[in-house]
């Protein structure tokens, strides 16, 4: 159910990092790592699975929105996800 804006003490702009701001140029990242980076965490930060699932809700649309500026690599083996990096 929608909530009135007046119920919140503070409202922030909905600004997201660009791939250039978020990624090192020579690195590739999984969507799980992207989710952490978008929250200001280290890519390898240890987080609870429930938290990771919530962060993925932010990361997946971010990848879609920035697809023109990204490159994709297939998983190196069957038990890992794909990787994303900055398009040069």
């Amino acid at each position: 159910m929608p909530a009135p804006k007046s119920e919140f003490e503070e409202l922030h702009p909905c600004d997201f990092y660009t791939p250039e701001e978020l990624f090192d140029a020579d690195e590739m990242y999984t969507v799980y790592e992207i989710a952490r980076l978008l929250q200001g965490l280290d890519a390898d930060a240890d987080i609870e699975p429930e938290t990771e699932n919530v962060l993925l809700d932010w990361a997946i649309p971010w990848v879609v929105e920035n697809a023109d500026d990204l490159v994709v690599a297939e998983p190196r083996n069957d038990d890992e996800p794909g990787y994303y990096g900055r398009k040069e």
Side-chain angles (χ1 to χ4, degrees):
M1 169 179 261
K5 288 182 181 178
S6 61
E7 289 186 11
F8 301 92
E9 290 182 27
E10 193 172 351
L11 300 174
H12 306 279
C14 190
D15 294 331
F16 291 100
Y17 295 102
T18 65
E20 188 172 82
E21 294 169 322
L22 199 64
F23 294 163
D24 288 331
D26 60 345
E27 298 289 334
M28 297 290 285
Y29 302 87
T30 68
V31 71
Y32 303 102
E33 294 164 335
I34 294 168
R36 289 172 176 83
L37 292 172
L38 285 169
Q39 296 299 314
L41 302 171
D42 289 334
D44 61 352
D46 187 27
I47 58 175
E48 297 291 325
E50 298 83 19
T51 302
E52 185 169 65
N53 289 336
V54 171
L55 297 184
L56 286 174
D57 288 343
W58 289 86
I60 293 168
W62 183 90
V63 168
V64 172
E65 176 67 22
N66 290 284
D68 290 343
D69 298 320
L70 301 175
V71 293
V72 180
E74 294 291 326
R76 293 175 289 187
N77 54 56
D78 291 340
D79 65 341
E80 75 177 13
Y83 284 82
Y84 301 88
R86 285 174 34 192
K87 185 182 289 184
E88 295 297 319

